[in-house]
Amino acid sequence: MAKLRSRPEEGQQIDPSIDSPTPHPDRLLYRRARRSSTGSRRRTRPEQAHLPQPHPAAHPSIQAILAERSLILAVLIASGVPARDRPDVEQQVLLGAWRSVERGMYRPDPSDEPRRALRAWIHGVVWRKVSHYVNSAYVRRVVLHAQPLGVLREPAGPSFEAQIDARADLQALAQLTPWQREMLLAVDRPESLVAFAKARGMNPYTAASRLRIAREALALKLRRRR
């Protein structure tokens, strides 16, 4: 590479008469040997890499997974999961295991006994779900209380008086006859009263009359309680 020479009146100019020093022959030989060795390593790296091939995916039935619920429950108990949360965690285990099977992530060794391999794999799924459960914010910060609304600094949701009235309404509803409760609950169905009556072989006018009688009976019981 040519060097620069300084000329104050015209600025810097390249001096073609001055060339860069020639590298030492030993340095050139070292660079060539290094390039050749690097290229050989790059060419042989894919050939030298020997990764174990994964086993083929297995697809056990959902019945086979459900048959191991006793194992799942035993692991949950041994892990300290409280009884109130065991059904939820068990559902997460079953759902997660089945989704993994559908995605082809269950790849047991074909030489292993099928059920033993399935139980060992489910055991690992349970441990992972339990780890997520233990480290979740719900478990770390939840505070169980009989009246959680009373712990809040500001009123939220139904008041205590509304809860008492709702319990009284439920008790009055429980004192009605079965057909009266059925007619009152039919109002909350997505289908109309006419469709409700036809599905049960009932005249729509009879259904309307029974609904009126049931409402009057409920109103009478509520007045007596208050």
Side-chain angles (χ1 to χ4, degrees):
M1 178 178 179
K3 292 185 178 181
L4 299 176
R5 62 181 181 180
S6 176
R7 299 188 62 179
E9 66 278 5
E10 299 180 5
Q12 293 182 343
Q13 292 184 353
I14 297 177
D15 189 357
S17 61
I18 304 176
D19 297 331
S20 59
T22 304
H24 195 275
D26 295 341
R27 187 177 295 275
L28 292 176
L29 293 175
Y30 172 75
R31 291 179 181 176
R32 293 175 183 175
R34 186 176 181 182
R35 290 175 183 174
S36 61
S37 62
T38 305
S40 62
R41 287 198 301 269
R42 291 177 180 176
R43 288 192 299 269
T44 58
R45 184 175 300 171
E47 299 176 359
Q48 295 175 355
H50 181 69
L51 298 177
Q53 297 297 328
H55 299 299
H59 299 277
S61 62
I62 186 62
Q63 289 77 12
I65 298 177
L66 291 175
E68 307 299 338
R69 297 183 64 179
S70 59
L71 170 65
I72 297 174
L73 181 60
V75 177
L76 294 180
I77 295 175
S79 303
V81 179
R84 67 175 185 274
D85 295 336
R86 288 172 195 166
D88 296 337
V89 181
E90 180 186 5
Q91 183 178 6
Q92 296 177 8
V93 171
L94 295 174
L95 184 60
W98 178 244
R99 287 180 176 176
S100 299
V101 169
E102 288 184 332
R103 292 196 299 266
M105 299 177 61
Y106 177 56
R107 297 175 178 270
D109 191 345
S111 61
D112 294 342
E113 197 271 328
R115 187 179 180 186
R116 181 180 300 176
L118 180 61
R119 288 175 63 88
W121 180 72
I122 292 178
H123 190 277
V125 175
V126 178
W127 274 112
R128 287 191 293 272
K129 293 298 181 180
V130 169
S131 176
H132 295 164
Y133 163 81
V134 172
N135 296 323
S136 63
Y138 166 77
V139 177
R140 290 185 287 105
R141 301 180 182 179
V142 68
V143 178
L144 299 181
H145 197 275
Q147 295 292 338
L149 297 179
V151 183
L152 300 178
R153 298 179 181 178
E154 299 179 358
S159 61
F160 292 106
E161 291 78 8
Q163 295 184 36
I164 295 175
D165 293 340
R167 292 176 182 176
D169 295 344
L170 290 176
Q171 292 176 359
L173 185 63
Q175 294 175 359
L176 298 177
T177 60
W179 69 266
Q180 290 175 343
R181 289 196 300 269
E182 183 182 9
M183 295 306 304
L184 292 174
L185 296 176
V187 181
D188 194 42
R189 291 176 176 269
E191 58 185 358
S192 62
L193 184 62
V194 176
F196 173 82
K198 291 182 177 180
R200 288 157 179 77
M202 186 187 307
N203 190 299
Y205 295 101
T206 302
S209 177
R210 289 187 176 184
L211 178 60
R212 178 180 56 79
I213 295 174
R215 286 175 172 173
E216 292 177 355
L218 178 61
L220 179 61
K221 290 186 178 297
L222 292 177
R223 286 196 298 269
R224 289 178 179 177
R225 295 184 63 89
R226 297 175 182 174

